[in-house]
Amino acid sequence: MSEVRLRFAPSPTGYLHVGGARTALFNWLLARKLKGRFILRIEDTDVARSTQESVDAILQGMEWLGLDWDEGPFFQSDNFPLYREHVEKLLSEGKAYRCYCTPEELEAKREKALAEGRKPKYDGTCRNLTEEIPGKPFAVRFKAPKDGVTAFDDLIKGPISFNNEELDDLIIQRSDGTPTYNFTVVIDDASMQVTTVIRGDDHVNNTPRQILLYEALGYPVPKFAHVPMILGADKTRLSKRHGATSVMAYRDMGFLPEAMVNYLVRLGWSHGDQEIFSLEELIEKFSIENVGKSAGVFNPDKLLWLNHHYINESAPDQLAELLIPFLKEREVDPEGGPSLPAVVKTLQERSHTLLEMADGAVFYFRSDFDYDPEAVAKFLKPDVAPRYEALLAKLDSLNEFTHDAIEAAFKELCADQGIKMGQIGPPVRVALCGGTTSPSIYEVIEVLGKEETRKRITRALDSVRGG
RNA sequence: GGUCCCAUCGUCUAGCGGUUAGGACACCGGCCUUUCACGUCGGUAACAGGGGUUCAAGUCCCCUUGGGAUCACCA
């Protein structure tokens, strides 16, 4: 019984956001590193706010990132009898009690306490009631100790302790009979034998209450690791104002999951000076001890840099597959033109995202594009006509239509005509792609092929001649 | 406000008593060059403040300041 068991337990009230994804990733990495089990559990006790769409979105996000789970997904809503059983147990042992205070009464007390500068803590009105009040709705409260200290050694933050007098008697079962979060999370983690709880540090204040519950129930207390939150550029909690927060939105913006994983893991964790990690390396090198204690700012520029790195490293065939949806969005049919992997190859080192790559690829598949007016004014002057003609002739004479042969042809042409590359390159680029930005024209010509290249240069030639 | 947590370049971070405080992103220059980008070379830039402990403190302790989390019949 030395196997580590970790879990990711999101509540299905929205998509998988980057913070949750990082928490899931840390859990997954540790499970894989220690050859333990990774459990996925959906915390849907709040029936009103939980949706199936959210469950699907979370699963989809996990899959995109490559975070597979060994057990689950489990749903808390399937465990209600189990929770009820535990409530009964605590009740019968006198470790919990029925509270007949209404939410309205409690709210009034809370406001009064706040107004008088006291702590808004439950006053214990029903704590010592000896008899049940038949027919009156009640919630069940946990009878927490009034003194003493509850402490734990957080794997990330170190020793943390709370005076029990700060904790009040929390509600473990609502008056409608449903259990509350702090209770279900304890029952589930205990019954699933979770050994290490890695979660967001917004939960540290819940931890002592949960420890008390573990102890009251007679379950072993797991280890805790609270990971710091992710902030936006202005150091406030990351939100939509800062850009996308859903991991799937990053896929849609043309990011690779490898980049996302690499970025997320390095936000808060480090291994010396290393920046680039394959998944295998992460599993080998990840350790919870090296996760930092302080919150981190999400830096889109660095994500972009990593994404470029992974685009550059990826096989053109695979990128081509991933690029297709982006091309279709631009109403480009990749079937009808040059080889997509060949196109991809010319764009890899100059693309930070697949979206950028798609934008750069469009011209390959359209021959009827408009010329950029500025480029026309600058490069499509009458004196390029003879150069276009010479180029056409030169290309016709080529035995093999390869990058190197094409480059050689341009060199010869420059020598023949006594011109520099700068006098022929830009006009050719405009002819081929309509603007002044593109991959190397040798590559473009090779990928386009002789026939299409001819067509485009001829078209530009006509244009220059005023036709 | 109570409780809890945090604090090294603009950002992510290395550092685990003795360092010219290192790397990465971004930024600024040079080079490369048919454009854009890539690449490459170089540069600007940080230990929040104050007390201790110690021969020696970015590293240990305390205080201050600043930031954050949390105080529900939400999770």
Side-chain angles (χ1 to χ4, degrees):
Chain A
M1 181 54 218
S2 58
E3 178 188 64
V4 298
R5 296 173 60 81
L6 296 108
R7 50 59 157 192
F8 175 53
S11 60
T13 53
Y15 46 71
L16 180 64
H17 55 87
V18 295
R22 187 179 57 155
T23 303
L25 178 60
F26 285 177
N27 272 291
W28 184 87
L29 284 173
L30 197 63
R32 293 291 169 266
K33 178 195 170 81
L34 301 177
K35 306 213 184 316
R37 308 279 285 178
F38 178 55
I39 304 163
L40 181 62
R41 183 174 75 227
I42 305 296
E43 312 238 308
D44 59 347
T45 54
D46 185 352
V47 186
R49 295 203 305 154
S50 300
T51 65
Q52 184 59 43
E53 291 71 53
S54 296
V55 173
D56 293 342
I58 289 166
L59 264 36
Q60 193 187 23
M62 299 278 289
E63 276 163 29
W64 183 63
L65 291 171
L67 308 182
D68 55 335
W69 49 93
D70 306 308
E71 296 175 29
F74 297 113
F75 291 83
Q76 290 193 315
S77 53
D78 292 335
N79 286 344
F80 277 35
L82 182 68
Y83 307 134
R84 182 64 67 94
E85 217 172 273
H86 283 80
V87 169
E88 292 303 328
K89 181 170 180 249
L90 289 180
L91 233 27
S92 67
E93 291 173 356
K95 292 175 178 170
Y97 58 93
R98 294 175 175 78
C99 174
Y100 297 94
C101 302
T102 65
E104 295 71 34
E105 285 167 358
L106 293 171
E107 184 56 32
K109 282 180 188 172
R110 202 173 6 254
E111 276 171 25
K112 190 166 177 246
L114 239 25
E116 292 172 6
R118 289 182 290 112
K119 290 181 224 175
K121 185 177 153 178
Y122 180 61
D123 63 1
T125 305
C126 303
R127 185 172 165 115
N128 296 314
L129 246 39
T130 48
E131 285 172 33
E132 292 183 34
I133 305 176
K136 187 165 182 188
F138 62 88
V140 178
R141 282 185 190 270
F142 175 61
K143 193 181 274 183
K146 290 188 144 164
D147 47 34
V149 172
T150 299
F152 62 101
D153 198 6
D154 194 279
L155 263 23
I156 292 171
K157 309 244 183 202
I160 300 178
S161 66
F162 295 80
N163 285 320
N164 289 342
E165 61 181 340
E166 301 296 337
L167 280 21
D168 62 358
D169 291 352
L170 81 160
I171 289 177
I172 58 178
Q173 186 179 89
R174 303 181 184 96
S175 49
D176 66 0
T178 59
T180 59
Y181 168 75
N182 277 300
F183 188 62
T184 58
V185 75
V186 168
I187 307 295
D188 283 332
D189 284 335
S191 63
M192 292 174 190
Q193 301 176 62
V194 170
T195 57
T196 310
V197 172
I198 302 176
R199 69 209 329 184
D201 72 0
D202 48 333
H203 286 287
V204 300
N205 291 300
N206 286 327
T207 307
R209 306 173 208 286
Q210 293 171 10
I211 289 174
L212 257 16
L213 246 14
Y214 277 104
E215 288 170 347
L217 258 10
Y219 289 131
V221 180
K223 291 178 187 165
F224 293 98
H226 288 100
V227 319
M229 54 182 252
I230 298 176
L231 309 175
D234 58 359
K235 302 228 178 187
T236 61
R237 189 184 207 120
L238 191 66
S239 73
K240 291 190 194 85
R241 293 185 296 108
H242 302 106
T245 56
S246 153
V247 296
M248 293 317 279
Y250 284 89
R251 179 198 62 180
D252 296 343
M253 290 187 292
F255 286 86
L256 265 24
E258 299 93 307
M260 199 68 201
V261 164
N262 197 147
Y263 178 73
L264 251 21
V265 79
R266 271 291 285 111
L267 176 56
W269 173 83
S270 59
H271 183 78
D273 284 340
Q274 190 171 348
E275 295 288 350
I276 308 287
F277 297 87
S278 67
L279 214 49
E280 294 69 36
E281 269 180 305
L282 286 178
I283 292 171
E284 181 198 328
K285 294 176 173 168
F286 182 78
S287 66
I288 207 76
E289 293 77 19
N290 288 321
V291 174
K293 298 179 183 189
S294 47
V297 174
F298 189 86
N299 183 346
D301 281 334
K302 192 156 183 180
L303 212 208
L304 238 19
W305 173 76
L306 277 164
N307 203 47
H308 169 258
H309 169 82
Y310 284 102
I311 284 178
N312 223 194
E313 299 279 290
S314 296
D317 286 358
Q318 283 174 20
L319 286 178
E321 280 304 307
L322 296 174
L323 191 64
I324 291 172
F326 292 92
L327 290 173
K328 294 207 163 142
E329 267 175 28
R330 286 158 183 69
E331 290 170 355
V332 164
D333 177 12
E335 294 297 316
S339 148
L340 194 49
V343 166
V344 164
K345 221 168 171 177
T346 68
L347 261 8
Q348 274 173 287
E349 68 178 15
R350 66 196 79 236
S351 303
H352 290 83
T353 65
L354 292 176
L355 203 139
E356 207 180 301
M357 184 180 274
D359 284 337
V362 169
F363 81 88
Y364 281 108
F365 302 94
R366 293 217 181 111
S367 48
D368 60 340
F369 48 76
D370 295 328
Y371 296 125
D372 169 35
E374 271 183 50
V376 171
K378 209 165 169 192
F379 300 114
L380 295 200
K381 294 176 181 166
D383 62 342
V384 303
R387 295 173 200 159
Y388 277 154
E389 285 168 342
L391 178 62
L392 249 14
K394 198 60 123 183
L395 292 177
D396 276 341
S397 69
L398 248 34
N399 292 324
E400 47 176 22
F401 213 67
T402 63
H403 176 282
D404 291 353
I406 294 161
E407 181 174 359
F410 270 85
K411 294 268 157 66
E412 279 175 35
L413 186 142
C414 286
D416 293 352
Q417 305 260 316
I419 58 172
K420 289 181 180 167
M421 201 48 211
Q423 294 170 276
I424 181 71
V428 169
R429 169 167 290 106
V430 176
L432 298 175
C433 71
T436 54
T437 301
S438 83
S440 153
I441 52 176
Y442 310 136
E443 292 177 47
V444 172
I445 290 172
E446 182 184 27
V447 171
L448 245 22
K450 187 184 280 189
E451 191 187 334
E452 184 61 24
T453 300
R454 278 203 63 95
K455 250 172 74 183
R456 294 189 186 196
I457 291 176
T458 305
R459 180 182 165 217
L461 186 55
D462 291 344
S463 171
V464 170
R465 285 171 170 156

